[in-house]
Amino acid sequence: MSAPAAEVPEDANEHCPGVMSEQAGQSDACAGCPNQAICASGEAKKPDPAVSEIAQKLANVKHKILILSGKGGVGKSTISSQLAFQLASLKHEVGLLDIDICGPSIPRMLGLEGQEVHQSAEGWSPVYVEDNLGVMSIGFLLQNQDDAVIWRGPRKNGLIKQFLTDVIWGELDFLLVDAPPGTSDEHISIAQYMKEAGVDGAVIVTTPQEVALMDVRKEISFCKKTEIPVLGVVENMSGFVCPNCQHCSHIFPPVSGGAQAMCEKMDVPFLGRVPLDPQLLLSCEAGRSYVESNPESQCAIALKQVVTGLLTNLQNASSSR
């Protein structure tokens, strides 16, 4: 049986037993691993002091939600940005943390390209869209937006830790964490670092076709292994409604039943379907709220239903604790 993802260092050998295992540093799989000595000594079992520091830093954040996707290109950052806009429009205090280190698109989708982070003795201040919507991203730290971020795992993890320890979020109702696709270094880091702070759960974004759902099942498995509740799955790009005749065409046919059928099989909540709409793309390109600009559209109604479902699931989860 493989070790839980959160117990395996990012530079560990294949078949690592995990730092909490009795075999840590001693099994055959540990031979030649750069972590072998520290694991064998028991030092690796000691908690990272940053975990407690992060818990203190985020003590005034009511809800911490990860936005995940198994497959790239399914519109995860689109959903993240529009969720942030909607929650802020409901008068909540909202923070959006972009930990997609190699592909930070959140600054553009929030209309913040070219903005810089302000540093003080207290830490880093988020960049604000509105008084109640703050954003942090590596995109604010790049001198040239076209520069590639070519970093290995430890450096990525170091920046994520710095975002969590140094950013002055203040009192928030919601902190949304936009993660890159997959189940790699960034995901393991955020699960480890926020363990004591408490993650309310994850919203997972997919598209209807099976090639995307295959990877979403892995994402749900990751959440279960790291004990992160799944607050719901959003099926994005779910049909295209013709603006002239209102006929719905399935650009990505749900050949295996789509996200709803998958959720029923895996016993996780389904938050709804968001159709394709060119105006949603244009809103993201312009960095503005789509729902505010197109409140009566089918896509806006679907996005509002996603937010309603998310808030309901959060409330139910809090009641059951």
Side-chain angles (χ1 to χ4, degrees):
M1 182 180 293
S2 59
E7 295 181 7
V8 177
E10 62 269 5
D11 54 349
N13 287 355
E14 189 177 5
H15 307 304
C16 170
V19 298
M20 304 305 292
S21 168
E22 293 296 326
Q23 296 299 312
Q26 302 173 32
S27 76
D28 292 343
C30 300
C33 176
N35 306 291
Q36 185 174 14
I38 192 171
C39 286
S41 70
E43 286 294 312
K45 293 184 179 180
K46 295 181 179 179
D48 186 333
V51 173
S52 294
E53 182 184 356
I54 290 165
Q56 293 175 1
K57 289 279 187 178
L58 300 181
N60 292 323
V61 178
K62 292 179 183 176
H63 298 293
K64 308 161 195 77
I65 300 172
L66 308 184
I67 315 294
L68 308 175
S69 70
K71 179 73 71 178
V74 299
K76 171 187 52 61
S77 294
T78 295
I79 297 297
S80 295
S81 61
Q82 296 303 313
L83 283 180
F85 275 128
Q86 283 193 78
L87 290 169
S89 74
L90 296 172
K91 309 305 180 185
H92 295 296
E93 297 291 331
V94 182
L96 178 54
L97 173 58
D98 180 8
I99 63 167
D100 193 341
I101 307 299
C102 297
S105 53
I106 288 298
R108 182 177 182 89
M109 290 187 172
L110 274 293
L112 298 173
E113 275 192 312
Q115 299 293 317
E116 296 181 354
V117 173
H118 297 285
Q119 289 183 272
S120 67
E122 294 180 352
W124 291 354
S125 296
V127 179
Y128 284 89
V129 183
E130 303 286 350
D131 290 342
N132 65 332
L133 176 51
V135 181
M136 181 55 67
S137 170
I138 192 177
F140 300 136
L141 307 178
L142 300 176
Q143 291 185 345
N144 184 338
Q145 295 301 311
D146 294 332
D147 286 345
V149 179
I150 309 172
W151 290 1
R152 292 186 184 274
R155 194 171 179 191
K156 290 181 184 178
N157 298 342
L159 181 61
I160 292 171
K161 182 190 291 187
Q162 192 167 8
F163 279 158
L164 293 170
T165 56
D166 290 5
V167 176
I168 311 163
W169 291 109
E171 293 189 7
L172 292 179
D173 296 308
F174 294 94
L175 177 62
L176 307 180
V177 181
D178 184 65
T183 55
S184 192
D185 293 329
E186 295 90 336
H187 308 79
I188 297 169
S189 293
I190 204 73
Q192 288 177 329
Y193 292 145
M194 294 183 70
K195 188 172 184 178
E196 284 188 19
V199 176
D200 288 81
V203 172
I204 303 177
V205 183
T206 185
T207 46
Q209 73 274 35
E210 178 58 25
V211 73
L213 295 173
M214 288 168 59
D215 290 337
V216 170
R217 294 186 187 96
K218 298 180 180 71
E219 199 77 46
I220 293 172
S221 174
F222 169 84
C223 288
K224 290 180 178 179
K225 287 181 178 180
T226 53
E227 299 181 343
I228 296 172
V230 177
L231 295 169
V233 176
V234 178
E235 184 177 273
N236 194 28
M237 307 184 200
S238 185
F240 170 72
V241 180
C242 175
N244 295 318
C245 68
Q246 300 302 307
H247 175 72
C248 182
S249 300
H250 291 287
I251 309 299
F252 303 111
V255 295
S256 60
Q260 185 170 13
M262 178 201 68
C263 288
E264 291 172 357
K265 290 178 182 177
M266 300 194 74
D267 194 27
V268 295
F270 178 63
L271 290 175
R273 300 178 179 86
V274 178
L276 283 162
D277 187 336
Q279 292 302 316
L280 176 56
L281 165 66
L282 294 174
S283 292
C284 290
E285 292 281 8
R288 62 174 185 262
S289 168
Y290 167 83
V291 172
E292 185 177 325
S293 303
N294 306 269
E296 303 304 321
S297 69
Q298 291 193 38
C299 186
I301 292 169
L303 285 167
K304 286 186 278 190
Q305 289 173 343
V306 166
V307 171
T308 300
L310 172 60
L311 294 176
T312 299
N313 291 349
L314 273 173
Q315 185 175 12
N316 292 340
S318 298
S319 300
S320 63
R321 285 174 189 162

